[in-house]
C-alpha cells in the first residue's frame, strides 16, 4: 500500500500540528460545522482509472479562518492501526462566507493501482479534519466523520427468446461483477441478492418479480412466464463495499 507523500501533505506544517491535537485544544479554537467529501457521495473506484474528488471543511472563529485540512484514512487507529491514507496534493483554497466563517476546499486524487492495492480497503474510511484561525489557534479531529470508498460494480441482463409466444418461458440471465483492486480485473460478486424487475411496454415504473442470488461466479439465471410485452432488468441494492447498480431494461415482444 502506498501512502502518498506524508501526513504533512494534508496542509504542510499545519497538518503536523493538527495530527498532534485530536480535539479542540482551547475554548477559543475554531469550530468545525461541516465537512464534505465528494459532495456527500461514496467514492467509487474501478480497476485502473484514477478519480479526483473535492473535499471541504467549513469552520468559524472570531478572527476568521486562515486555512483548513482534510485527510482520509483507513484502519483502527491513526497512530498504530492506519493501513491507508488519501491526502490532498495542494494547499486549501478558502472562501469566506462572512468575517468569521469560511469553507476551505481541496482535491484528493485516488489511484486504484497505487492507493487501493487491497480489496480489504473497501468500506468505511475516517475523515481527519481541522482548521486554523487567523489568530493562529487551531482545532483538529482524528475522525470527524466517515465516508465510503467502494469497488465499482457492473451488472448485465439478457431476456430470451425474443420474440416469445404468450405463456412460454422466458429465461433471464446476467452477471454481477465488481472491481478487484488486487488483480485489476472484474470478478463475480458471489451469493448476492439481486432483484428481477419488470415494466410493461405501456408502463412507467418497474415492479420486483422475484429476488435471486448470484452464483459462485456472479452469474444470474431465472425463468418467468411470458405474459405481456415489456422490459426485464436486474437491480442490485449494493453493500458497504460495493455500490448499487441496475441494468437498463431488455425488451421482450410477447406474441
Amino acid at each position: 500500500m502506498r501512502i502518498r507523500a506524508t501526513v504533512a501533505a494534508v496542509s504542510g506544517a499545519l497538518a503536523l500540528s493538527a495530527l498532534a491535537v485530536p480535539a479542540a485544544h482551547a475554548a477559543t479554537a475554531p469550530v468545525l460545522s461541516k465537512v464534505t467529501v465528494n459532495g456527500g457521495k461514496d467514492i467509487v473506484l474501478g480497476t485502473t482509472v484514477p478519480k479526483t474528488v473535492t473535499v471541504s471543511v467549513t469552520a468559524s472563529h472570531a478572527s476568521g479562518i486562515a486555512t483548513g485540512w482534510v485527510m482520509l484514512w483507513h484502519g483502527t487507529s491513526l497512530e498504530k492501526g492506519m493501513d491507508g491514507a488519501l491526502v490532498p496534493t495542494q494547499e486549501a483554497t478558502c472562501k469566506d462566507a462572512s468575517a468569521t466563517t469560511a469553507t476551505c476546499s481541496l482535491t484528493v486524487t485516488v489511484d486504484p493501482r497505487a492507493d487501493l492495492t487491497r480489496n480489504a480497503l473497501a468500506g468505511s474510511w475516517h475523515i481527519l479534519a481541522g482548521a486554523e484561525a487567523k489568530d493562529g489557534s487551531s482545532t483538529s479531529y482524528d475522525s470527524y466523520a466517515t465516508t465510503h470508498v467502494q469497488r465499482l460494480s457492473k451488472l448485465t441482463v439478457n431476456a430470451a427468446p425474443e420474440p416469445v409466444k404468450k405463456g412460454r418461458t422466458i429465461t433471464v440471465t446476467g452477471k454481477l461483477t465488481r472491481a478487484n483492486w488486487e488483480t485489476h480485473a472484474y470478478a463475480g460478486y458471489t451469493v448476492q441478492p439481486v432483484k428481477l424487475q419488470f415494466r410493461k411496454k405501456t408502463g412507467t415504473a418497474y415492479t420486483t418479480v422475484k429476488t435471486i442470488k448470484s452464483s459462485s461466479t456472479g452469474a444470474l439465471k431465472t425463468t418467468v412466464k411470458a405474459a405481456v410485452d415489456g422490459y426485464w432488468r436486474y437491480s442490485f441494492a449494493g453493500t458497504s463495499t460495493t455500490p448499487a447498480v441496475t441494468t437498463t431494461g431488455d425488451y421482450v415482444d410477447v406474441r
Side-chain angles (χ1 to χ4, degrees), residues 19-150:
L19 291 176
V21 185
H25 65 263
T28 57
V31 175
L32 273 60
S33 59
K34 185 178 182 180
V35 176
T36 303
V37 174
N38 195 34
K41 300 177 181 179
D42 297 333
I43 302 172
V44 181
L45 275 298
T47 58
T48 60
V49 180
K51 175 175 288 187
T52 297
V53 300
T54 299
V55 297
S56 65
V57 55
T58 300
S60 59
H61 189 269
S63 68
I65 298 300
T67 192
W69 52 86
V70 175
M71 181 182 80
L72 309 182
W73 64 276
H74 184 272
T76 57
S77 168
L78 186 63
E79 293 78 16
K80 297 181 180 180
M82 182 174 68
D83 59 1
L86 302 171
V87 300
T89 55
Q90 78 291 319
E91 297 289 332
T93 299
C94 298
K95 182 177 181 180
D96 292 333
S98 68
T100 60
T101 303
T103 296
C104 300
S105 300
L106 309 97
T107 58
V108 175
T109 298
V110 189
D111 186 341
R113 287 185 175 272
D115 301 308
L116 304 172
T117 57
R118 294 186 300 114
N119 292 325
L121 292 173
S124 181
W125 283 60
H126 301 275
I127 305 173
L128 178 153
E132 180 176 340
K134 291 181 179 179
D135 71 353
S137 61
S138 64
T139 187
S140 185
Y141 296 84
D142 287 356
S143 183
Y144 183 86
T146 58
T147 188
H148 282 88
V149 179
Q150 298 182 316

Side-chain angles (χ1 to χ4, degrees), residues 217-242:
T217 62
L220 300 164
K221 184 177 181 179
T222 190
T223 58
V224 291
K225 293 296 183 181
V228 295
D229 296 349
Y231 300 85
W232 295 94
R233 73 179 188 183
Y234 278 125
S235 182
F236 171 60
T239 63
S240 62
T241 62
T242 310

